[in-house]
Amino acid sequence: MKTNRQTRYPPVPNDLLELPAKQTDMTTTTDQHDKTGMAPDSSITLVDADVHCQIRSIEDLMPYLPNVWQHYIHESGLENPGKSWYPKVKRSAARDDAHPPNGVPPGSDLAFTQKQHLDYWKIDRAIMNPLYGADFLYNADLSAALCAAYNDFMIEHWYEKDKRLYGSMMIPWRDADLAVREIERIGSHPRILQIILHMTPEVLWGQRPFHPIWAAAEKHNLVLGIHWGGYAPPRATGGAAPSFYMEFHTTEALAAMAHIASFVCEGVFQKFPALKVAIIEGGMAWLPALMWRLDKDWRGCRMEVPWLTESPSKLIRRHIRLTTQPIEEPENPKHLLETINHMGSDNMLLFATDYPHWDFDSPAKALPRQIPKPLQKRIFADNAIDFYGLT
Amino acid sequence: MKKKKIAALDLDQIPDGTMQAVRVGRRNLLMVRQGHQVYALRNICAHQGARISDGVLTCTRRGGHVGEYVEEKAGRIIRCPWHNWEYDAVDGSALHDPKHTRVASYQTVVEDGKVWVMV
Ligand code: FES
């Protein structure tokens, strides 16, 4: 039997560029997002919690940078900070069909993204996650300038241009004061609802130097979105860097686990009871095992972290969500449903495609039909609506 | 069923602030002394069955602000020798889940220099 979602779309055409646009004019610059939480919009049936956007080149940022940094960047020949440590299995780690015909990088052409992705899949809301290495730069002032420029570019050219889009902001996290300053500057923008962070930053995000930043995030009701990858040596996966992209791609789940344990044990959710964390693109089938292990260790090690007055699994269920992509594909799809049941809540998962990247999950096919309709509805839309306060 | 009152040990066999394993009838019990009060618990951990008398009698740390370590319940917390679960000698409750997890506790009285247990 086919699910609703599987019957909702036409077959993928050979040339998506020939498809007529299915949406009416979605362009808007008005405030659509009430982060204080209005009643959920029941017309939202598909939220994509991980779509990527990027600049075409660093020249896009020049109008948003002070003169001194424009000169600095041109003098130094800085292009895009943050190179990957691994050659990807595809160019730009993108789907082969996601390179816009005008030659700009995948995910840097709003019209193309609208047509190929948002319109085609009838995505009602998308959380946009720019991936850029500016926040990893060791020069905190340069990092702050580039993060601010990137944020301003994305707001103007993406987030304010389509009412389906909500955005993530970058912060110069190596300097808490500068990071807080950037959050104070744009954290209340109605289209910004998340701070984008990475899973392999040489640090664990629960640790105390970051707490002033998390206080500002909580104040502005910004989710911390911890996304796969990063631009530091990928050591959070057990102390050593894997040899291959495939290894790294898979074992990023270990880094995700380490960050969750860090948030829990450092008492971040006791200090910031309204703070929320989204684990993006780390997979999800490992979550029950992590909760079981943390709960078990908490029973014997509570005296080391006495501020943990409730079990880690309860804190995780209250504060953390995981995006589904790249979804695990067990031989027997029923096992995926069993795994979700082990999470102890239907609220934990947010559907995501990761467009335009090669490990994209299709809204029509990614969730196996063994997942009951009410749970699919939660995963495809309701959980994200509740978690992000989408309208 | 009516409980029996059985002498477990002489009070001076268990110095103040210590704990001691005793056998009462067919039961293995742990006696914990705090001043004139003596508590009796089943001497088998609710987790994987260790003899909790092989652990330590200590205090716990109160849940407080992050980074704050405050000791409390000194002399009445038993930590299991195996995986460190903590039990309150007063009622046998496990500190991580006092409503649902405990070792059995028994009423005691001190009379004529002896500690009596109602079992
Ligand atoms: S047997 Fe006592 S804590 Fe495991």
Side-chain angles (χ1 to χ4, degrees):
Chain A
M1 195 181 76
K2 288 189 171 180
T3 63
N4 278 348
R5 196 152 294 288
Q6 283 169 321
T7 55
R8 192 179 167 193
Y9 307 105
V12 178
N14 291 333
D15 183 359
L16 283 168
L17 295 178
E18 298 306 314
L19 271 182
K22 293 177 187 169
Q23 302 278 347
T24 52
D25 180 19
M26 304 299 284
T27 305
T28 179
T29 54
T30 56
D31 177 356
Q32 301 289 331
H33 176 42
D34 175 7
K35 290 197 275 192
T36 59
M38 287 166 55
D41 181 347
S42 59
S43 67
I44 300 175
T45 61
L46 180 55
V47 179
D48 187 342
D50 186 26
V51 180
H52 295 293
C53 49
Q54 64 172 321
I55 53 174
R56 292 164 297 185
S57 79
I58 201 165
E59 292 306 316
D60 278 345
L61 300 183
M62 292 305 149
Y64 303 90
L65 282 165
N67 283 344
V68 63
W69 292 118
Q70 292 183 35
H71 298 155
Y72 183 101
I73 287 165
H74 286 141
E75 280 162 17
S76 65
L78 177 71
E79 292 176 1
N80 285 334
K83 294 287 182 207
S84 169
W85 288 76
Y86 296 99
K88 303 290 166 46
V89 291
K90 285 184 182 292
R91 278 186 306 140
S92 308
R95 286 172 22 179
D96 291 326
D97 61 350
H99 292 262
N102 56 8
V104 299
S108 70
D109 182 327
L110 174 61
F112 188 82
T113 294
Q114 286 168 321
K115 191 172 239 182
Q116 184 177 56
H117 188 59
L118 302 170
D119 298 348
Y120 180 75
W121 295 108
K122 296 182 178 170
I123 287 166
D124 298 307
R125 298 290 182 270
I127 314 293
M128 306 304 294
N129 291 319
L131 303 179
Y132 190 63
D135 54 336
F136 278 76
L137 288 166
Y138 290 101
N139 179 339
D141 298 312
L142 174 60
S143 172
L146 278 171
C147 286
Y150 212 98
N151 291 334
D152 289 343
F153 176 92
M154 285 300 159
I155 289 170
E156 183 176 342
H157 294 281
W158 285 75
Y159 308 159
E160 288 184 343
K161 288 286 189 230
D162 186 319
K163 79 169 191 182
R164 293 168 292 187
L165 305 186
Y166 287 107
S168 301
M169 62 178 287
M170 291 196 303
I171 54 168
W173 50 264
R174 292 191 192 277
D175 185 312
D177 290 342
L178 293 176
V180 169
R181 193 179 72 186
E182 181 63 4
I183 293 170
E184 292 296 341
R185 188 179 74 87
I186 59 159
S188 290
H189 188 284
R191 309 307 297 174
I192 297 277
L193 44 59
Q194 182 162 265
I195 294 170
I196 187 77
L197 301 163
H198 286 81
M199 281 180 203
T200 46
E202 303 173 287
V203 296
L204 288 168
W205 290 122
Q207 290 177 339
R208 291 188 195 176
F210 303 111
H211 289 196
I213 311 178
W214 306 159
E218 184 189 46
K219 176 181 159 193
H220 290 275
N221 198 17
L222 294 167
V223 171
L224 306 184
I226 318 273
H227 188 281
W228 182 92
Y231 304 99
R235 298 216 172 90
T237 52
S243 302
F244 301 104
Y245 175 60
M246 177 179 155
E247 279 178 273
F248 180 54
H249 192 262
T250 302
T251 56
E252 274 285 271
L254 303 177
M257 288 186 228
H259 289 299
I260 291 176
S262 176
F263 279 116
V264 167
C265 295
E266 297 276 357
V268 170
F269 301 127
Q270 271 75 19
K271 275 177 99 166
F272 311 112
L275 192 67
K276 295 180 277 189
V277 174
I279 300 292
I280 305 169
E281 205 179 331
M284 48 100 168
W286 43 265
L287 184 67
L290 177 71
M291 292 198 289
W292 293 331
R293 292 185 75 83
L294 278 173
D295 281 1
K296 174 170 176 160
D297 278 341
W298 171 72
R299 289 176 202 126
C301 304
R302 288 175 46 260
M303 61 295 295
E304 189 188 14
V305 284
W307 43 86
L308 282 193
T309 53
E310 54 189 335
S311 66
S313 60
K314 281 190 187 154
L315 289 168
I316 289 169
R317 283 190 204 102
R318 193 182 311 141
H319 293 273
I320 295 179
R321 298 290 178 267
L322 284 71
T323 62
T324 50
Q325 178 276 341
I327 199 162
E328 284 87 351
E329 296 176 349
E331 262 177 49
N332 181 346
K334 275 190 200 148
H335 294 166
L336 202 64
L337 176 61
E338 286 168 20
T339 302
I340 296 172
N341 288 338
H342 291 321
M343 293 176 191
S345 167
D346 287 349
N347 301 333
M348 299 305 296
L349 301 178
L350 315 173
F351 178 76
T353 65
D354 191 34
Y355 176 86
H357 291 147
W358 73 275
D359 44 351
F360 165 90
D361 271 343
S362 154
K365 296 285 187 185
L367 288 194
R369 61 182 170 76
Q370 285 83 356
I371 294 180
K373 294 266 175 60
L375 180 54
Q376 289 203 18
K377 183 169 176 296
R378 290 222 62 86
I379 294 171
F380 276 125
D382 295 353
N383 289 343
I385 293 170
D386 295 344
F387 189 63
Y388 286 106
L390 302 180
T391 56
Chain B
M1 201 171 75
K2 194 160 183 293
K3 293 203 167 144
K4 279 195 246 167
K5 181 175 166 185
I6 299 179
L9 74 176
D10 292 342
L11 185 61
D12 58 13
Q13 285 180 293
I14 176 168
D16 189 12
T18 68
M19 62 181 179
Q20 197 169 126
V22 295
R23 184 145 180 112
V24 175
R26 285 177 302 147
R27 288 186 175 82
N28 288 313
L29 299 186
L30 171 68
M31 313 301 287
V32 178
R33 179 166 173 191
Q34 266 206 315
H36 291 295
Q37 182 69 51
V38 181
Y39 303 104
L41 304 177
R42 190 169 185 233
N43 194 12
I44 299 177
C45 180
H47 181 217
Q48 290 187 13
R51 278 164 36 124
I52 55 176
S53 59
D54 291 340
V56 291
L57 183 61
T58 180
C59 58
T60 190
R61 299 194 191 104
R62 187 179 68 210
H65 296 300
V66 175
E68 192 177 80
Y69 291 89
V70 182
E71 292 185 345
E72 65 174 10
K73 300 184 179 173
R76 62 183 251 203
I77 302 300
I78 304 125
R79 284 197 192 141
C80 176
W82 288 359
H83 316 104
N84 230 24
W85 284 21
E86 293 177 311
Y87 294 100
D88 191 334
V90 171
D91 60 4
S93 60
L95 298 198
H96 68 267
D97 184 20
K99 280 199 185 126
H100 305 104
T101 308
R102 60 181 56 242
V103 292
S105 67
Y106 302 88
Q107 199 185 339
T108 62
V109 283
V110 177
E111 276 174 13
D112 307 329
K114 286 190 185 311
V115 183
W116 301 78
V117 187
M118 311 300 290
V119 291

mmCIF file of all heavy atoms in Angstrom, chain B residues 45 47-50 52 80 82-85 87, ligand 1:
data_model
loop_
_atom_site.group_PDB
_atom_site.id
_atom_site.type_symbol
_atom_site.label_atom_id
_atom_site.label_comp_id
_atom_site.label_asym_id
_atom_site.label_seq_id
_atom_site.Cartn_x
_atom_site.Cartn_y
_atom_site.Cartn_z
ATOM 1 N N CYS B 45 21.370 -5.678 46.563
ATOM 2 C CA CYS B 45 21.101 -4.510 45.720
ATOM 3 C C CYS B 45 19.979 -4.804 44.721
ATOM 4 O O CYS B 45 19.929 -5.893 44.125
ATOM 5 C CB CYS B 45 22.368 -4.117 44.973
ATOM 6 S SG CYS B 45 22.138 -2.685 43.916
ATOM 7 N N HIS B 47 19.673 -3.693 41.911
ATOM 8 C CA HIS B 47 20.155 -3.672 40.527
ATOM 9 C C HIS B 47 20.577 -5.074 40.090
ATOM 10 O O HIS B 47 19.809 -5.773 39.445
ATOM 11 C CB HIS B 47 21.306 -2.663 40.401
ATOM 12 C CG HIS B 47 21.867 -2.542 39.022
ATOM 13 N ND1 HIS B 47 23.204 -2.362 38.793
ATOM 14 C CD2 HIS B 47 21.263 -2.591 37.810
ATOM 15 C CE1 HIS B 47 23.408 -2.290 37.480
ATOM 16 N NE2 HIS B 47 22.246 -2.419 36.862
ATOM 17 N N GLN B 48 21.793 -5.472 40.467
ATOM 18 C CA GLN B 48 22.258 -6.789 40.014
ATOM 19 C C GLN B 48 22.631 -7.693 41.181
ATOM 20 O O GLN B 48 23.370 -8.670 41.003
ATOM 21 C CB GLN B 48 23.435 -6.646 39.053
ATOM 22 C CG GLN B 48 23.034 -6.051 37.712
ATOM 23 C CD GLN B 48 24.165 -6.068 36.693
ATOM 24 O OE1 GLN B 48 25.187 -6.721 36.867
ATOM 25 N NE2 GLN B 48 23.980 -5.326 35.605
ATOM 26 N N GLY B 49 22.157 -7.316 42.362
ATOM 27 C CA GLY B 49 22.223 -8.262 43.467
ATOM 28 C C GLY B 49 23.478 -8.271 44.308
ATOM 29 O O GLY B 49 23.711 -9.225 45.062
ATOM 30 N N ALA B 50 24.311 -7.226 44.233
ATOM 31 C CA ALA B 50 25.498 -7.186 45.086
ATOM 32 C C ALA B 50 25.086 -7.098 46.558
ATOM 33 O O ALA B 50 23.999 -6.622 46.881
ATOM 34 C CB ALA B 50 26.358 -5.979 44.718
ATOM 35 N N ILE B 52 25.108 -5.091 49.499
ATOM 36 C CA ILE B 52 25.398 -3.652 49.661
ATOM 37 C C ILE B 52 26.265 -3.389 50.896
ATOM 38 O O ILE B 52 26.903 -2.354 51.006
ATOM 39 C CB ILE B 52 24.115 -2.782 49.665
ATOM 40 C CG1 ILE B 52 23.118 -3.243 50.702
ATOM 41 C CG2 ILE B 52 23.491 -2.738 48.272
ATOM 42 C CD1 ILE B 52 21.881 -2.335 50.782
ATOM 43 N N CYS B 80 26.400 1.120 46.666
ATOM 44 C CA CYS B 80 26.605 -0.277 46.309
ATOM 45 C C CYS B 80 28.056 -0.495 45.844
ATOM 46 O O CYS B 80 28.632 0.348 45.156
ATOM 47 C CB CYS B 80 25.633 -0.666 45.196
ATOM 48 S SG CYS B 80 25.884 -2.353 44.618
ATOM 49 N N TRP B 82 29.202 -2.402 43.629
ATOM 50 C CA TRP B 82 29.403 -2.708 42.210
ATOM 51 C C TRP B 82 29.203 -1.485 41.311
ATOM 52 O O TRP B 82 30.148 -0.974 40.757
ATOM 53 C CB TRP B 82 28.479 -3.854 41.774
ATOM 54 C CG TRP B 82 28.895 -5.189 42.328
ATOM 55 C CD1 TRP B 82 29.980 -5.444 43.132
ATOM 56 C CD2 TRP B 82 28.241 -6.433 42.133
ATOM 57 N NE1 TRP B 82 30.038 -6.758 43.454
ATOM 58 C CE2 TRP B 82 28.991 -7.422 42.848
ATOM 59 C CE3 TRP B 82 27.115 -6.853 41.452
ATOM 60 C CZ2 TRP B 82 28.626 -8.764 42.877
ATOM 61 C CZ3 TRP B 82 26.754 -8.196 41.468
ATOM 62 C CH2 TRP B 82 27.518 -9.138 42.180
ATOM 63 N N HIS B 83 28.005 -1.007 41.172
ATOM 64 C CA HIS B 83 27.762 0.060 40.176
ATOM 65 C C HIS B 83 27.347 1.364 40.826
ATOM 66 O O HIS B 83 26.790 2.241 40.166
ATOM 67 C CB HIS B 83 26.712 -0.371 39.160
ATOM 68 C CG HIS B 83 26.907 -1.766 38.661
ATOM 69 N ND1 HIS B 83 26.140 -2.818 39.088
ATOM 70 C CD2 HIS B 83 27.821 -2.282 37.811
ATOM 71 C CE1 HIS B 83 26.552 -3.939 38.509
ATOM 72 N NE2 HIS B 83 27.580 -3.639 37.727
ATOM 73 N N ASN B 84 27.558 1.447 42.145
ATOM 74 C CA ASN B 84 27.479 2.742 42.824
ATOM 75 C C ASN B 84 26.064 3.288 43.010
ATOM 76 O O ASN B 84 25.914 4.485 43.249
ATOM 77 C CB ASN B 84 28.325 3.770 42.058
ATOM 78 C CG ASN B 84 29.264 4.518 42.965
ATOM 79 O OD1 ASN B 84 29.629 4.021 44.026
ATOM 80 N ND2 ASN B 84 29.641 5.720 42.579
ATOM 81 N N TRP B 85 25.060 2.491 42.874
ATOM 82 C CA TRP B 85 23.736 3.019 43.214
ATOM 83 C C TRP B 85 23.750 3.444 44.681
ATOM 84 O O TRP B 85 24.402 2.806 45.520
ATOM 85 C CB TRP B 85 22.644 1.949 43.015
ATOM 86 C CG TRP B 85 22.279 1.702 41.580
ATOM 87 C CD1 TRP B 85 23.031 1.980 40.473
ATOM 88 C CD2 TRP B 85 21.078 1.084 41.115
ATOM 89 N NE1 TRP B 85 22.361 1.576 39.340
ATOM 90 C CE2 TRP B 85 21.158 1.013 39.706
ATOM 91 C CE3 TRP B 85 19.954 0.569 41.738
ATOM 92 C CZ2 TRP B 85 20.147 0.469 38.917
ATOM 93 C CZ3 TRP B 85 18.930 0.013 40.956
ATOM 94 C CH2 TRP B 85 19.028 -0.027 39.561
ATOM 95 N N TYR B 87 21.605 4.222 48.188
ATOM 96 C CA TYR B 87 20.364 3.938 48.911
ATOM 97 C C TYR B 87 20.340 4.752 50.202
ATOM 98 O O TYR B 87 21.373 4.927 50.858
ATOM 99 C CB TYR B 87 20.273 2.457 49.278
ATOM 100 C CG TYR B 87 20.150 1.557 48.075
ATOM 101 C CD1 TYR B 87 21.259 0.878 47.576
ATOM 102 C CD2 TYR B 87 18.931 1.376 47.440
ATOM 103 C CE1 TYR B 87 21.150 0.049 46.461
ATOM 104 C CE2 TYR B 87 18.804 0.544 46.323
ATOM 105 C CZ TYR B 87 19.924 -0.109 45.848
ATOM 106 O OH TYR B 87 19.820 -0.932 44.746
HETATM 107 S S1 FES C 1 24.530 -4.369 41.832
HETATM 108 FE FE1 FES C 1 24.342 -2.648 43.024
HETATM 109 S S2 FES C 1 24.495 -1.019 41.664
HETATM 110 FE FE2 FES C 1 24.669 -2.739 40.439
#
